[in-house]
Amino acid sequence: MNRSRPLVRIAWCRRRVACVSRRCISSQQTQPTNAPSENQSLPPDWEDDAPSLSDFAQLPEGFGKNQLMQTNEEFKRSLRGILKKFPPITYAFAYGSGVFPQSAATASRTSLSPHPNPPEAILKWQKGGGKMIDFIFTPRFSQHFHSLNLREHRDHYSILGSLGSGVISRVQDRYGAGVYFNPYITVNGTMIKYGVVNYETLLRDLTEWDTLYLAGRLHKPVKILTEEPNIRVANQRNLLSAVRCSLLLLPTTFTEKELYSTITGLSYQGDPRMQYGSENPKKISNIVNNQLRHFRYLYHDLITSLPNTRYIDDSATHKSGWMEDDNLDLKLEQDMDPERRGNIVRRLPKKFRERVYFQYRHKFGISGRDYNEMLEASKDEDAKGGLKKQVGGVFDRRIAGEKDLPQMVTKAINQTVKWPSTIQSAKAILTAGPERSWRYLQEKRAKGREK
């Protein structure tokens, strides 16, 4: 039993009271209706706690609400109606161009609609229903999910389904990024693709970035359909990590679109689909340009919570309706002081930070013993299992002062993404079957030829 959990919950409750008190004071001031109040969902030092939560009441009020992208109610009900056809799911989201259009042309191809008989809400949302809808399902235990799902939907699976849920789960967990995809499945008259991932696998990738496969999908706007409080906290860390990592790749001044494009591009670095023409070469710009207001809603509070980053014209963010103005591309600047940037390096996700450290171990010629001692000192966890306050040390500040830091971070991203993504793509032949995987590859290649 973890004896530190009650203390952690008390800390969260105290911060919640403090947060509510601040809101009561600030509520007397006039706030622009379209702009979120500054840092309203980020209590002080929240990153330095490791709560084990059983329900959302244990979170500070409003925490993580930036993750909840708005769609119309009818479309949301249609997506949730699809979830009801599956065994119990702890956390689920829909993503991709079938949920949030990535270009003006995306929704106009009514003749290419894959949906045989979709609900009216999906047709209206997609303006003709031209895109397969992608889902990620996160059960507590995926083998149990597959066992139940095989009974109800054996036709969703390839020949692997004949070998049982144990084999399916082993293929899912041991190869690639820990996701098992079933594409070209019709549910409620709607063509979908769904990936199944274990709860612990998702939680680990969000907090440590061991593959960036799932964490990267959640860097972009998605429609969360079923929630879990611990994942909400982990994803808030994931989003803030995406901002911090992108700052290490950007110059002193940059625009909103440059920041969001850098964030979007993190998980595409090293992805074989981007390298070998299996994706639209303009995919990143299409996502950002057509979802700018969603990116603002997702990241604005996080950006303003960082002490080293600010909007150059901050007054623009206090004007009513600024988040919906696609013609705006506000400029930001960051403090390049090595001490501040050293704190950014120190707060990168654990697995990913170790890859950055390893790059500089070779550059600086650090011995194995000294390097291991440094890794031990830089552990996120304290002796009681809680999280230590993450402040950049001498090594972090030294890294932050190096001119090749953007190149080293890029190399670490490639190392994180390339192998899991490559294996994940290759195992589709087993999980989806040759026919469906070939169809999917051909459609991806067609996207790669788009201009």
Side-chain angles (χ1 to χ4, degrees), residues 248-249 359-360 403-412 414:
L248 297 177
L249 299 171
Q359 305 289 339
Y360 282 100
K403 292 183 179 180
D404 64 352
L405 181 58
Q407 290 75 33
M408 292 294 205
V409 170
T410 299
K411 189 179 293 186
N414 281 321

Side-chain angles (χ1 to χ4, degrees), residues 415-435:
Q415 291 174 346
T416 302
V417 172
K418 188 170 185 177
W419 183 248
S421 292
T422 301
I423 299 304
Q424 187 68 46
S425 297
K427 83 176 183 182
I429 298 174
L430 286 175
T431 59
E435 184 177 341

